[in-house]
Amino acid sequence: MKKHISLSVILTCLLVLVSCSSFKKDLIPTYNAGGYRIINSKEKSIPNSNELIISGKVYDVKTGKPLNNTTLLTSCLKTQVSSTGEYAIKTENSTYSNYFIEVISIGYKTIQTNFIDLKNKKEITIDFYLTEDDRPLINCEGGVKEMKSK
């Protein structure tokens, strides 16, 4: 009887561990522990329309909280996120059909997307998940001496 109870407890624990999968599994991985997720993508309804809107949010991958001190760089644009971690880029997609986006935030590791096919897209939503940068900040205090000119 004790064997059956302990076996059922172990199986229950394993089932709970398997079902509690992290949202990080759904992320498109980058060269560090962060990633991104393409939420939705809308095709152009008007064939000759060249307007493209790229929008989304930037989050801390561990806490899930939005990051507000973040910059997004594309091939031609530089965008700051809002205080709530949201961004929107409005551009023409006639020149380029493939974009990549680089996301930079102080205290976090920079990430870059793979090339994203934006041909015939009207709108795309991409959320970014950055991981804290564990490298120590450089402290130059007392390490560099100023040279005096003669």
Side-chain angles (χ1 to χ4, degrees):
M1 184 68 153
K2 285 186 177 184
K3 268 187 171 178
H4 293 292
I5 292 173
S6 61
L7 184 61
S8 64
V9 168
I10 290 171
L11 287 175
T12 303
C13 290
L14 286 173
L15 182 63
V16 169
L17 287 174
V18 169
S19 66
C20 293
S21 64
S22 170
F23 73 92
K24 286 176 65 174
K25 187 188 290 185
D26 297 335
L27 296 180
I28 299 169
T30 59
Y31 54 86
N32 61 36
Y36 60 98
R37 180 179 298 136
I38 299 175
I39 307 286
N40 63 24
S41 176
K42 294 181 184 175
E43 298 289 326
K44 287 184 184 182
S45 57
I46 305 169
N48 295 330
S49 172
N50 290 332
E51 187 175 274
L52 170 67
I53 299 172
I54 304 170
S55 62
K57 278 186 128 176
V58 181
Y59 298 98
D60 180 303
V61 74
K62 284 186 182 177
T63 65
K65 293 182 180 178
L67 299 176
N68 60 5
N69 190 17
T70 305
T71 303
L72 279 80
L73 301 170
T74 64
S75 54
C76 299
L77 299 169
K78 179 178 177 180
T79 305
Q80 288 291 123
V81 302
S82 70
S83 60
T84 59
E86 297 176 296
Y87 71 93
I89 300 169
K90 191 176 194 180
T91 186
E92 291 183 20
N93 99 6
S94 61
T95 310
Y96 304 101
S97 62
N98 289 313
Y99 273 70
F100 77 91
I101 301 173
E102 183 175 20
V103 183
I104 302 168
S105 186
I106 296 174
Y108 289 84
K109 292 182 180 178
T110 301
I111 63 171
Q112 284 182 345
T113 65
N114 297 324
F115 281 99
I116 302 168
D117 181 16
L118 299 176
K119 191 173 186 179
N120 296 322
K121 300 285 191 243
K122 176 184 176 184
E123 189 176 328
I124 189 165
T125 304
I126 307 171
D127 287 344
F128 295 95
Y129 295 84
L130 277 61
T131 186
E132 277 192 79
D133 196 346
D134 53 358
R135 296 174 292 182
L137 295 174
I138 298 173
N139 183 358
C140 296
E141 192 174 305
V144 177
K145 296 184 180 180
E146 187 177 317
M147 296 189 69
K148 296 183 182 181
S149 61
K150 293 183 181 182

